[in-house]
Amino acid sequence: MNTINFRRMLIATCSVAALSGCGANDIASPGTGGNVTINNTTNNPPAPAPTPTPTPTPTPTQTLVTAAAGCPTIANDVQLGDAGTITGPTGSYRVCNLPARLTRSSTLPFTRGVLYQLNGRVDVGTDQGSATSGTTNVVLTIEPGVIVIGAPGASWLGINRGNQLQAVGTPTRPIIFTSRDNALGLVTDSSAGQWGGVVLLGRAQITDCGATAAQPGTTACERQTEGAADPSVYGGNNNTENNGRIQYMQIRYSGFVLSGNSELQALTTEGTGSATQISFVQSVNSSDDGAEFFGGRVNFKYYISMGALDDNLDTDTGLKANFQYVIVAQREGSASLGADSIIEADSDNTFDNQLPRQNTVVSNFVFLARIASANNSTAILLRGGTDYTLVNGFMDAQNSQSCLRISRAATADTNASLGVNSTNLVVPGATTGNDELGAPVFRSVQFRCPTTALQGINSVTDAQVAAIFGAGTNNNSITYVPTLTNGFINGATETAVPVFNATAINAASGQPSLSGNLAGQPAFFDNVSYAGAVRDANDTWYTQWTCTSSVLNLGTNNTGACTTLPIFS
């Protein structure tokens, strides 16, 4: 017993013999008794009282969600269908069914304890046709933090031509599209294909027309969404149309088979115009592609695709597109489930020479190719006469069958002469009248490859592909040894790679010798000082708005595991 406590007891008139009978604030040590020593304090001042150890502040715990009392009204005449409540690891939720078709502009407000459900196909507006331009009929607005679930099966959201989706989350409150099983806590890091996806249908130019006699790139050239049972049409000639804005969005466990071999993927754009804004989108475990782009004009920054069971960046039917800051991670073992390539550009068919010819540019990327592709036999497949440019990126494909395959002579065309393309722009390397810009372009691209690195098929030789890629020139390599942190953050090796100035790319031509961007549009590419998708540990664009999984560890500064729902207040 210390002196201070003993003196207090004397003042309180508690006797030594009755120590155990003192008030509730006193402390009695257990034991069998013993002598109590009283220090003489006359000549020995008391020792100072020890500083009390502060009580640690408890870590706050998240309060589980409680189901809302009812479903909100999203327009003057639209009361959502109340589908009861469901309960999962993060609490209980009121499930509110969206109508099969929204005929008036509506907003899905964030309401704690509400999950909006696609109970089948949900259409935004009706198709406004291919010839109309500059009109917006119905706009669906989705507030930050909203969670939309797809009922099991063929549930998907379709934004018809002449209508818009305005789904703009924030870094700390992303918008989440996911499956009902995700809310119930029934998914794992290998779950996929539990609902459809998000589809934007526009009126920009496409090829592979549905009507045999239709002229590609005109209002007569239309296509039906793959596998859709009812009309879901896209195509036209308005390349600058605005189909809405998607930003800070997660799309999880999508990719349901609509019919035959036709599946939806997390995000599908079909003939969307260049005024459409897409950025900060994460695709998680799609059973088809991470995202697929059919024709039109696409500008897309900050894209993460993880665990897709087909391709990750699939581009078709005359698309002209720009992508910057892309992270792709395949799931180990997914080849047995049909997973294919990181990139599949266009398809081998009788429409190879139709105009507009596909032209896709990707800058600042990291690709983790972890499988031996079941069908495409390569990490990157370029075919169908596509024009393609890859700059400032890294790919670890040592477990693939090859790094790069180029199919068909039209794709590997290195003999194109100066000409005029379909937008009347004189471009070096273009053959007159056929929108052909020459062979694919690679600048500051580093691959770690298996023994068979570069392959040609269908009239293209391995030697031609090797010459096109140009290992050892233009800062390209097939012997790259990664030093990436978490598989995607630059290390010493990546930092040392010289950077190609992506702003020098004209995406209308695909050639690095011209400046500008898609015809009539502002410059798209950022002029950054590094190759790869994430400069270093201080570059945090992938944090907060994403979820993490065993397929790709995105750290802890995010919405948590993809297998559970976040709780937004």
Side-chain angles (χ1 to χ4, degrees):
M1 179 180 300
N2 63 41
T3 304
I4 299 298
N5 285 340
F6 191 74
R7 292 177 66 192
R8 289 174 179 166
M9 285 187 287
L10 289 177
I11 293 171
T13 68
C14 291
S15 70
V16 172
L19 183 61
S20 61
C22 293
N25 291 329
D26 293 303
I27 301 174
S29 299
T32 57
N35 297 327
V36 177
T37 301
I38 303 175
N39 292 320
N40 185 343
T41 62
T42 304
N43 299 315
N44 299 293
T51 303
T53 302
T55 302
T57 303
T59 302
T61 57
Q62 267 187 327
T63 303
L64 293 181
V65 175
T66 301
C71 293
T73 300
I74 62 172
N76 292 337
D77 57 351
V78 179
Q79 175 65 49
L80 301 183
D82 191 335
T85 62
I86 60 174
T87 300
T90 53
S92 60
Y93 299 86
R94 177 75 53 188
V95 177
C96 300
N97 283 338
L98 295 175
R101 186 181 302 275
L102 292 169
T103 59
R104 298 184 61 178
S105 293
S106 306
T107 297
L108 302 187
F110 172 77
T111 303
R112 186 177 169 93
V114 165
L115 297 175
Y116 298 98
Q117 180 167 259
L118 308 172
N119 194 31
R121 172 177 168 178
V122 173
D123 284 280
V124 175
T126 57
D127 180 33
Q128 299 297 295
S130 63
T132 307
S133 63
T135 60
T136 298
N137 187 29
V138 175
V139 178
L140 173 61
T141 301
I142 304 179
E143 291 186 348
V146 163
I147 300 176
V148 180
I149 61 173
S155 56
W156 54 288
L157 179 67
I159 315 301
N160 287 294
R161 289 184 296 186
N163 304 281
Q164 287 188 0
L165 173 64
Q166 295 289 339
V168 182
T170 68
T172 57
R173 296 170 71 87
I175 293 165
I176 298 174
F177 280 81
T178 189
S179 67
R180 184 182 178 95
D181 276 4
N182 196 183
L184 292 170
L186 301 177
V187 297
T188 68
D189 282 344
S190 61
S191 298
Q194 297 184 339
W195 64 290
V198 177
V199 182
L200 299 180
L201 301 107
R203 296 177 288 204
Q205 290 179 312
I206 63 169
T207 60
D208 298 30
C209 315
T212 304
Q215 176 71 31
T218 68
T219 56
C221 187
E222 301 174 300
R223 285 174 57 88
Q224 166 75 346
T225 297
E226 286 188 354
D230 297 317
S232 185
V233 183
Y234 62 96
N237 67 354
N238 181 10
N239 289 332
T240 61
E241 184 177 31
N242 184 352
N243 299 111
R245 183 181 177 191
I246 293 174
Q247 188 173 39
Y248 296 113
M249 178 185 288
Q250 300 174 17
I251 308 177
R252 309 177 181 180
Y253 311 112
S254 62
F256 190 80
V257 178
L258 293 180
S259 68
N261 292 321
S262 297
E263 298 179 63
L264 291 176
Q265 40 277 314
L267 176 65
T268 308
T269 71
E270 302 178 328
T272 56
S274 59
T276 308
Q277 299 178 59
I278 306 175
S279 61
F280 297 97
V281 175
Q282 180 185 27
S283 171
V284 178
N285 287 26
S286 169
S287 67
D288 197 55
D289 302 320
E292 187 164 9
F293 306 88
F294 293 89
R297 304 291 190 267
V298 171
N299 293 311
F300 189 169
K301 283 182 179 174
Y302 304 106
Y303 168 50
I304 299 174
S305 176
M306 43 201 279
L309 295 185
D310 195 0
D311 307 307
N312 291 271
L313 187 59
D314 196 339
T315 52
D316 299 286
T317 62
L319 172 74
K320 294 188 184 294
N322 298 317
F323 298 91
Q324 190 170 24
Y325 313 115
V326 179
I327 301 173
V328 170
Q330 291 180 317
R331 176 157 56 91
E332 299 280 2
S334 58
S336 63
L337 302 174
D340 279 337
S341 301
I342 300 287
I343 289 175
E344 180 181 283
D346 221 283
S347 301
D348 283 340
N349 55 38
T350 59
F351 307 117
D352 283 3
N353 292 319
Q354 289 189 354
L355 306 181
R357 190 181 300 277
Q358 181 187 164
N359 179 27
T360 297
V361 183
V362 184
S363 179
N364 295 96
F365 61 87
V366 170
F367 297 157
L368 305 179
R370 294 167 170 163
I371 63 171
S373 169
N375 296 317
N376 292 338
S377 303
T378 188
I380 296 175
L381 177 62
L382 307 180
R383 62 185 182 184
T386 180
D387 291 319
Y388 216 97
T389 300
L390 285 168
V391 301
N392 296 331
F394 306 101
M395 181 170 70
D396 187 352
Q398 63 178 338
N399 295 326
S400 298
Q401 290 174 262
S402 70
C403 272
L404 171 65
R405 269 190 167 192
I406 297 178
S407 172
R408 297 203 179 197
T411 315
D413 184 0
T414 58
N415 299 312
S417 60
L418 184 66
V420 180
N421 70 5
S422 61
T423 59
N424 295 318
L425 176 68
V426 177
V427 291
T431 301
T432 302
N434 73 353
D435 198 18
E436 170 58 54
L437 304 168
V441 175
F442 301 89
R443 300 288 187 272
S444 298
V445 171
Q446 307 261 309
F447 291 161
R448 174 156 70 168
C449 297
T451 302
T452 304
L454 309 172
Q455 292 182 308
I457 55 174
N458 295 328
S459 302
V460 179
T461 67
D462 292 359
Q464 284 178 292
V465 178
I468 290 169
F469 182 76
T473 62
N474 296 317
N475 303 309
N476 299 330
S477 173
I478 57 172
T479 58
Y480 157 65
V481 179
T483 59
L484 297 163
T485 302
N486 284 3
F488 63 92
I489 302 172
N490 284 358
T493 299
E494 293 76 24
T495 300
V497 173
V499 180
F500 178 79
N501 182 1
T503 63
I505 297 172
N506 183 326
S509 69
Q511 298 300 313
S513 58
L514 298 178
S515 61
N517 198 55
L518 291 176
Q521 296 300 308
F524 171 80
F525 290 104
D526 298 330
N527 183 14
V528 296
S529 59
Y530 60 95
V534 179
R535 181 185 65 249
D536 53 31
N538 296 315
D539 185 2
T540 58
W541 68 260
Y542 61 90
T543 63
Q544 295 186 293
W545 61 277
T546 56
C547 63
T548 190
S549 79
S550 61
V551 177
L552 185 66
N553 179 7
L554 293 173
T556 58
N557 184 19
N558 47 48
T559 63
C562 299
T563 52
T564 189
L565 299 185
I567 298 177
F568 298 128
S569 57

